[in-house]
């Protein structure tokens, strides 16, 4: 990804990253980046070199931790891991932790030794965890005490370290130097499938400031920002927020669990100007009484699943025009970002590609689609993923796109779909059609999503390519009906999926969660859809459920919904 120098300098200046500082500390900062790169460890080192006394983390257990102290704790942990367990270059450390200082320290300590970090979804079962340990060749598992029951049955040769053990290692760390290892430690993000073994996707390490600049050009984050990261740190979106915070020499507020009232209190108490979350968290913020005064938030950035219809407008009506929505996936990192103005204009839009990202909407032959016509979404940028880390040539139907707009969740019983590891445009040659600004890196990858561009160039995601159903010969996108039903005032949340049908092949089923005290009749729901959509979009099954099943990142698990379904 190559940016014009004026754009790069202009963006860094606007965001406060080029303010002059002590020549000695600026030199140390640049030296840290030169020696350690733009990984999480490198960003922490550069921040500690430039502003060692600035607060890096505000943790529920330890309170305020400066950049100097956070780096010292990570280095002490790294030295102890090397001495106690022999962790070194090429080893893999699994991290099964919620959002707290221990996850951050371990995520930095591993790469300091040249080891890979495998971020484990806290929603995995014990059996899935055992499979992950084997397939990812994990040597050491670091876990929170609350997950001890899931470690039962893990291989006896696997080293295990709980929170107390980590604290003891940090306290009793041996002396010694840490030099940059011969290989860079990688971050491996696990997909969050509910069946089979979750796969690991290698996240590339940025090779410069380009990815940061691309994001903060669209999302106005500034140097020294105070940011609450509510999105799980094992999720690409939460982890990306942590990287950006360190790059900006900001302060991160972490809570182990998301509780909307507690989050609002923490935002006010710590004067956070940014909140990183997943959409369901934004929805839950609207379900608690608003604070007496508007929080100091200037940016609420969400990713991980689609914004339900009307949610963006309702949130901004209460908290101001501060909502930003990023659409992407594990494979492509990001594809588009919607600003508050764009969400006001079109509340379900995914926005526009950031600088340096190439976006194409193509038909099955790989040709560009006309404005408004649905096609496959292809994306190219510098941070396309580097491949899976195990036998993962197939995508689990319940995989969650890490920074995605919608869940990768098959709505039929056909099972897995092929993974989009290569440029795909229907012909296998890779499409050259694109839109967006700047120049991206690498050939475009097929996101597996369907979408279209409107006359203003805004992207809309119409669902997964394998979500679209054919009912009686008509193509139906469940997300279109889902967004419509989400606008009903009685509805708290909704999911629409395709289910088998003996006559029509497939039909739509709508699962609705109502707000407390509200009542809806199934036929009234059907009539509402019939009024605004084609007849083949009307869900024959309307099922009221107490809650939608979600994974640890807040995505709806449609396969779980089928237990309500009667064919």
């Amino acid at each position: 990804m190559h940016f014009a120098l004026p754009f790069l300098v202009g963006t860094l200046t606007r965001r406060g990253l080029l303010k002059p500082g002590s020549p000695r500390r600026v030199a140390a900062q640049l030296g840290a980046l030169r020696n350690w790169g733009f990984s999480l460890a490198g960003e922490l080192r550069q921040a500690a070199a430039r502003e060692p006394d600035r607060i890096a983390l505000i943790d529920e257990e330890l309170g305020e931790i400066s950049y100097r102290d956070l780096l010292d704790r990570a280095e002490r942990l790294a030295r102890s891991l090397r001495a106690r367990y022999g962790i070194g270059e090429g080893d893999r450390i699994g991290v099964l932790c919620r959002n707290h200082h221990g996850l951050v320290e371990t995520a930095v300590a591993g790469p300091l030794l040249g080891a890979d970090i495998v971020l484990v979804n806290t929603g995995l079962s014990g059996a899935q965890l055992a499979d992950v340990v084997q397939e990812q060749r994990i040597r050491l598992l670091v876990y929170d005490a609350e997950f001890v029951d899931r470690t039962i049955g893990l291989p006896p040769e696997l080293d295990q370290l709980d929170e107390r053990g980590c604290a003891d290692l940090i306290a009793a760390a041996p002396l010694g130097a840490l030099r940059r290892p011969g290989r860079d430690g990688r971050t491996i993000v696990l997909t969050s499938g509910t069946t089979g073994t979750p796969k690991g996707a290698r996240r590339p390490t940025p090779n410069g400031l380009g990815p940061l600049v691309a994001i903060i050009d669209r999302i106005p984050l500034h140097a020294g920002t105070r940011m609450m990261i509510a999105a799980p740190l094992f999720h690409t979106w939460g982890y990306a927020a942590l990287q950006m915070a360190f790059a900006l020499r900001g302060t991160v507020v972490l809570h182990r669990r998301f509780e909307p009232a507690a989050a609002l209190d923490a935002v006010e108490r710590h004067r956070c100007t940014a909140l990183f979350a997943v959409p369901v968290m934004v929805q839950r913020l609207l379900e608690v009484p608003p604070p007496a005064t508007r929080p100091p938030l200037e940016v609420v950035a969400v990713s991980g699943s689609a914004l339900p219809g009307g949610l963006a407008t309702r949130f901004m009506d209460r908290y101001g025009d501060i909502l930003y929505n990023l659409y992407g996936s594990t494979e492509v990192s990001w594809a588009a970002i919607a600003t508050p103005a764009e969400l006001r204009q079109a509340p379900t839009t995914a926005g526009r590609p950031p600088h340096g990202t190439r976006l194409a909407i193509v038909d099955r032959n790989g040709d560009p689609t006309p404005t408004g016509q649905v096609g496959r979404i292809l994306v190219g940028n510098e941070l396309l993923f580097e491949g899976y880390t195990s036998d993962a040539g197939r995508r689990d139907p319940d995989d969650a796109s890490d920074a995605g707009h919608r869940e990768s969740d098959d709505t039929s019983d056909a099972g897995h779909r092929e993974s989009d590891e290569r440029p795909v445009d229907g012909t296998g040659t890779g499409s050259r059609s694109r839109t967006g600004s700047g120049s991206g890196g690498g050939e475009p990858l097929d996101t597996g999503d369907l979408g279209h561009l409107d006359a203003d160039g805004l992207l809309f995601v119409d669902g997964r390519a394998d979500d679209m159903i054919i009912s009686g010969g008509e193509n139906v996108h469940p997300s279109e009906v889902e967004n419509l039903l989400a606008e009903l005032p009685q509805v708290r949340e909704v999911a629409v999926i395709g289910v088998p049908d003996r006559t029509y092949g497939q039909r739509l089923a709508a699962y609705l969660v109502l707000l407390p005290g509200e009542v809806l009749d199934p036929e009234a729901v059907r009539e509402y859809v019939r009024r605004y959509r084609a007849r083949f979009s009307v869900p024959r099954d309307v099922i009221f459920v107490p809650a939608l099943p979600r994974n640890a990142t807040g995505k709806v698990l449609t396969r779980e919904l089928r237990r309500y379904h009667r064919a």
Side-chain angles (χ1 to χ4, degrees), residues 490-512:
Q490 301 93 334
V491 173
R492 179 178 183 266
E493 52 185 353
V494 59
V496 178
I497 66 173
V499 296
D501 185 274
R502 292 188 179 92
T503 302
Y504 296 100
Q506 288 179 295
R507 66 177 185 265
L508 289 185
Y511 301 82
L512 290 85

Side-chain angles (χ1 to χ4, degrees), residues 230-232 235 237-238 258 275-285 300-307 311 325 402 404 550-555:
H235 186 268
W237 184 230
F258 176 78
L275 170 66
F276 275 67
V278 295
V280 69
M281 294 175 177
V282 169
Q283 179 174 305
R284 288 173 182 167
L285 287 175
V300 175
V302 297
S303 185
S305 61
L307 282 176
L311 177 60
N325 183 35
D402 279 281
R550 296 181 182 272
N551 64 17
T553 61
K555 290 182 174 62

Side-chain angles (χ1 to χ4, degrees), residues 62-123:
L62 296 185
E64 295 184 347
I65 309 172
S66 70
Y67 272 103
R68 176 192 286 113
D69 290 342
L70 182 60
L71 178 58
D72 177 64
R73 290 177 62 86
E75 289 182 335
R76 292 172 69 87
L77 179 59
R79 294 200 301 270
S80 286
L81 293 178
R82 182 174 60 188
R84 176 72 63 86
Y85 299 104
I87 298 296
E89 296 180 13
D91 290 329
R92 286 185 179 171
I93 302 172
V95 184
L96 179 62
C97 296
R98 296 196 186 274
N99 286 16
H100 62 84
H101 68 95
L103 186 155
V104 179
E105 291 158 358
T106 307
V108 173
L112 291 177
L113 301 171
D116 295 337
I117 293 296
V118 181
L119 298 174
V120 182
N121 191 313
T122 59

Side-chain angles (χ1 to χ4, degrees), residues 441-525:
E443 286 297 324
L445 290 185
D446 190 331
T447 64
D449 288 329
L450 298 175
H452 68 276
L453 295 169
D454 71 3
D456 295 321
L458 292 176
L459 173 67
F460 293 81
V461 180
D462 294 286
R464 298 291 300 174
D466 44 13
D467 276 353
M468 186 186 75
I469 73 166
I470 301 176
S471 182
E474 301 286 355
N475 292 342
V476 184
H477 297 287
S479 61
E480 182 180 4
V481 181
E482 197 172 274
N483 286 332
L484 178 66
L485 291 177
E487 295 177 1
L488 284 169
Q490 301 93 334
V491 173
R492 179 178 183 266
E493 52 185 353
V494 59
V496 178
I497 66 173
V499 296
D501 185 274
R502 292 188 179 92
T503 302
Y504 296 100
Q506 288 179 295
R507 66 177 185 265
L508 289 185
Y511 301 82
L512 290 85
V513 180
L514 301 183
L515 291 168
E518 296 290 351
V519 177
L520 267 180
D521 178 76
E523 185 53 37
V525 172

